[in-house]
Amino acid sequence: MRDKVMSIDDVIAQIEDGMTVGIGGWGSRRKPMALVRAILRSDLKDLTIVSYAGPDVGLLLQAGKAKRLVFAFCTLDSIPLEPLFQKARQGATAEFTEWDEGMFQTGLRAAAQRVPFLPMRAGLGSAVLENDPSLKTVTSPYADGPGDYPVLVAVPALKLDVALVHMNRADEHGSGQYLGPDPYFDDLFCMAADKAFVSCEQIIDTAGLTIDAALQTLLLNRTMVTGVVETPNGAHFTDCTPTYARDEKFQKAYATAAKDDEAWTAFETRFLSGDESTYQAAVRAFAEEIA
Amino acid sequence: MTDVTRAEICAIAIADCFAEDGEIMGSPMGLLPQLGARLAKLTSNPDLMLTDGEARILAGVPPLGSSTEIVEGWMPFRLVLESTVPYGKRHVMMGATQIDREGNQNISAIGPWAKPDRQLLGVRGAPGNTVNNRTSYWVPKHSTRVFVEQVDIVSGVGRTRAEAAGPAATKFHDVHRVVTDLGVFDFNGPGNTMQFLSVHPGVTVADVQAASGFEIHAPAEVPETRQPTTEELILIREMLDPRLLRDREVPPVVTG
């Protein structure tokens, strides 16, 4: 079996300007933040980002990396509104496609199943169909009762060039394991993409994956995965339970800085101007400072 | 048990929204909806299924702010979206930044969609919820900013728009009630518009009209929202919310 272990820089080298990048996790939970931070440092531009959005999206919008965003919400969970996303929406600094969060899952599933669309009820009657005029409806070829051929939303496949997800553990061949309560949609993101990259807290021996965890925690199999990179604390400051909880104090500092240009520049200089190890060192210093 | 507060009246009114639901999943968004749904599970609807708001279905009924409880099942986001919502055995109570006369709701943004004046949460699951599940709304501060002639971005779908979208949109469409700090409403007024079901003790129909950006249909007699029973007050005060979190969302107005 192939060794798929690579570095953060190797992953970024596989992404090209203008690509559609799906990011796993949900809100401020189990986001592949080390990979997102690497995109911020890169020369990449004009990306389309597809995400159940949290600070990953706020940061990419603020850095001007995202030309377009496909979203259903953007939140920091414990802080309901993502300030950098709000700023980008209110300034119209990128293009936006807003779908219902169930449509979003259906679009990923269609891409994962290699069909052009899947039908669903969500979206009918709402502003979603008006604000994304590319969305079409489809008339069921089957009756749902005498003479009733329902008109449903034809949710188009959300095809991705690249998926980025973060797991608690993986092996070197690409088997990925989440140990928290919720898989989110990370398997769908990987299957919807041409190439899927998994960052994880720890790369361990294959035999170790199921020693202390249920079989069902193995969310990703290796056919879905292109590369694996070990990034300890790599979901920081989002939640990566049970390995670590969200860093609420850091998130508060992020959200506060994001509301003021000068404070944001200082935050960027302190935390986002170096590589991942520089970031992690700055985070440790921050934790000691406020302790 | 005197001095019933406005928050307690609201909790009772919310609990009553879930009373007839039977064995379905309640999805109460926000603090008072959680209090009301938990109260319903302890009183009128013991079959109600509730989660910790994340991936765990809770067998029992913990106090607000706690999810320490026996887990009876698994409900990650993917199962909410692909199973529970389209499966239909669910009653969601969402918040609303705006609601209009025809029962459309907005949680997405204020102002034009292309360049909003104020970006909020996004439409989230509101479009899917409203065409699949019984849906109610909770508004902690009834005002002309919330109750508007026409919402800016239709997230939750009202009856008239559902009908315009066709039978697939109306088949399971069921916007049930709106509970606010002033009263209880539904959309069974003329032409499926908003109407009074009750006003809370100490509130008049005129008070509500003055706090609304459109005229809410008022039947000839608008009753008062019912008072809690002694059992309900004990459950709220001693068990579900001993820390008075409810008063932070709806400041005390002593009514009784």
Side-chain angles (χ1 to χ4, degrees):
Chain A
M1 292 186 289
R2 272 184 280 171
D3 178 354
K4 295 178 185 167
V5 177
M6 51 174 68
S7 69
I8 291 175
D9 290 341
D10 293 337
V11 174
I12 301 309
Q14 301 266 334
I15 309 175
E16 293 166 26
D17 291 350
M19 276 190 166
T20 298
V21 178
I23 302 176
W26 172 285
S28 187
R29 308 174 201 211
R30 205 154 45 70
K31 284 286 176 178
M33 295 300 284
L35 300 179
V36 169
R37 285 188 282 269
I39 295 177
L40 300 180
R41 292 194 296 273
S42 74
D43 296 328
L44 285 168
K45 59 181 195 296
D46 296 335
L47 301 175
T48 291
I49 303 296
V50 176
S51 176
Y52 283 106
D56 51 332
V57 160
L59 284 164
L60 290 167
L61 286 167
Q62 173 71 14
K65 297 296 179 189
K67 185 187 67 180
R68 190 165 83 92
L69 171 69
V70 182
F71 75 104
F73 59 79
C74 189
T75 181
L76 298 173
D77 292 302
S78 52
I79 299 171
L81 303 177
E82 217 293 346
L84 295 176
F85 164 74
Q86 279 189 294
K87 185 177 157 192
R89 277 287 284 138
Q90 289 164 200
T93 56
E95 295 164 40
F96 294 90
T97 299
E98 182 175 23
W99 285 8
D100 166 272
E101 59 197 44
M103 291 172 65
F104 201 101
Q105 180 188 23
T106 299
L108 289 174
R109 172 159 293 123
Q113 296 179 347
R114 305 182 296 171
V115 291
F117 74 93
L118 285 170
M120 78 184 304
R121 236 176 224 102
L124 292 172
S126 77
V128 166
L129 270 64
E130 294 160 7
N131 294 329
D132 180 359
S134 75
L135 288 169
K136 298 190 185 335
T137 55
V138 62
T139 303
S140 171
Y142 304 105
D144 191 18
D148 174 16
Y149 294 85
V151 175
L152 298 162
V153 177
V155 182
L158 267 178
K159 283 196 254 183
L160 311 173
D161 295 305
V162 169
L164 307 175
V165 303
H166 188 79
M167 294 280 121
N168 298 85
R169 299 195 298 208
D171 73 4
E172 63 183 12
H173 311 298
S175 295
Q177 181 174 44
Y178 76 105
L179 297 171
D182 199 316
Y184 310 119
F185 303 84
D186 290 357
D187 49 345
L188 288 181
F189 274 99
C190 291
M191 290 189 284
D194 290 338
K195 292 179 187 171
F197 298 98
V198 181
S199 63
C200 65
E201 292 299 313
Q202 204 183 8
I203 295 176
I204 66 171
D205 192 68
T206 306
L209 292 169
T210 47
I211 280 182
D212 56 355
L215 186 58
Q216 294 88 335
T217 59
L218 292 170
L219 184 67
L220 309 177
N221 71 58
R222 61 191 163 84
T223 67
M224 306 172 184
V225 174
T226 312
V228 183
V229 50
E230 187 175 82
T231 60
N233 210 35
H236 183 272
F237 49 91
T238 71
D239 175 277
C240 188
T241 189
T243 315
Y244 46 87
R246 182 180 305 120
D247 187 344
E248 295 289 358
K249 286 175 179 161
F250 190 94
Q251 176 162 289
K252 185 93 190 297
Y254 162 83
T256 306
K259 285 176 186 152
D260 176 80
D261 286 347
E262 210 173 302
W264 180 254
T265 306
F267 184 93
E268 258 186 331
T269 306
R270 179 168 180 190
F271 295 107
L272 299 171
S273 54
D275 64 8
E276 180 64 12
S277 63
T278 312
Y279 173 81
Q280 295 293 350
V283 167
R284 282 192 295 275
F286 173 82
E288 280 162 25
E289 199 175 287
I290 59 166
Chain B
M1 288 287 175
T2 52
D3 299 341
V4 174
T5 64
R6 182 63 56 77
E8 288 163 346
I9 295 287
C10 292
I12 300 302
I14 291 167
D16 285 350
C17 293
F18 294 95
E20 311 293 325
D21 286 338
E23 193 165 38
I24 56 115
M25 179 163 123
S27 290
M29 314 280 183
L31 190 110
L32 255 291
Q34 283 180 38
L35 177 60
R38 290 178 190 195
L39 184 64
K41 187 173 175 185
L42 290 170
T43 56
S44 56
N45 186 6
D47 287 335
L48 192 63
M49 188 172 89
L50 297 173
T51 73
D52 65 354
E54 299 194 16
R56 296 171 191 88
I57 306 170
L58 303 179
V61 187
L64 287 183
S66 164
S67 54
T68 311
E69 190 47 62
I70 295 169
V71 172
E72 64 167 328
W74 188 48
M75 188 57 67
F77 290 126
R78 64 172 53 199
L79 290 186
V80 175
L81 297 181
E82 77 187 1
S83 299
T84 311
V85 172
Y87 183 47
K89 292 184 181 178
R90 178 171 185 252
H91 181 171
V92 57
M93 179 174 267
M94 292 188 278
T97 307
Q98 295 178 323
I99 295 181
D100 65 26
R101 189 196 300 268
E102 295 184 338
N104 301 301
Q105 167 245 29
N106 176 20
I107 49 173
S108 173
I110 300 295
W113 183 84
K115 195 175 185 225
D117 302 321
R118 183 163 160 73
Q119 175 64 39
L120 304 168
L121 290 172
V123 295
R124 296 223 56 158
N129 289 342
T130 42
V131 295
N132 280 294
N133 301 144
R134 174 169 278 193
T135 301
S136 296
Y137 296 110
W138 160 243
V139 176
K141 191 162 171 43
H142 194 124
S143 78
T144 52
R145 293 166 63 116
V146 178
F147 291 93
V148 295
E149 193 60 47
Q150 218 169 5
V151 304
D152 292 340
I153 296 161
V154 177
S155 312
V157 180
R159 188 73 196 179
T160 299
R161 281 183 67 109
E163 283 176 0
T170 55
K171 189 166 186 175
F172 303 113
H173 184 268
D174 179 15
V175 177
H176 184 57
R177 284 182 198 166
V178 181
V179 179
T180 79
D181 61 331
L182 299 183
V184 184
F185 311 87
D186 69 11
F187 292 94
N188 294 323
N192 297 310
T193 58
M194 188 162 159
Q195 72 169 358
F196 283 87
L197 290 180
S198 66
V199 286
H200 297 333
V203 179
T204 66
V205 168
D207 292 337
V208 177
Q209 299 289 21
S212 307
F214 56 87
E215 193 177 339
I216 298 172
H217 176 71
E221 295 224 353
V222 176
E224 196 169 87
T225 309
R226 76 172 177 90
Q227 292 282 338
T229 65
T230 304
E231 183 202 0
E232 286 169 328
L233 276 182
I234 291 171
L235 288 171
I236 292 172
R237 294 175 179 179
E238 311 280 323
M239 186 184 159
L240 290 173
D241 186 23
R243 293 193 288 148
L244 292 166
L245 297 175
R246 61 190 178 280
D247 288 350
R248 290 191 212 163
E249 191 156 85
V250 179
V253 181
V254 175
T255 61

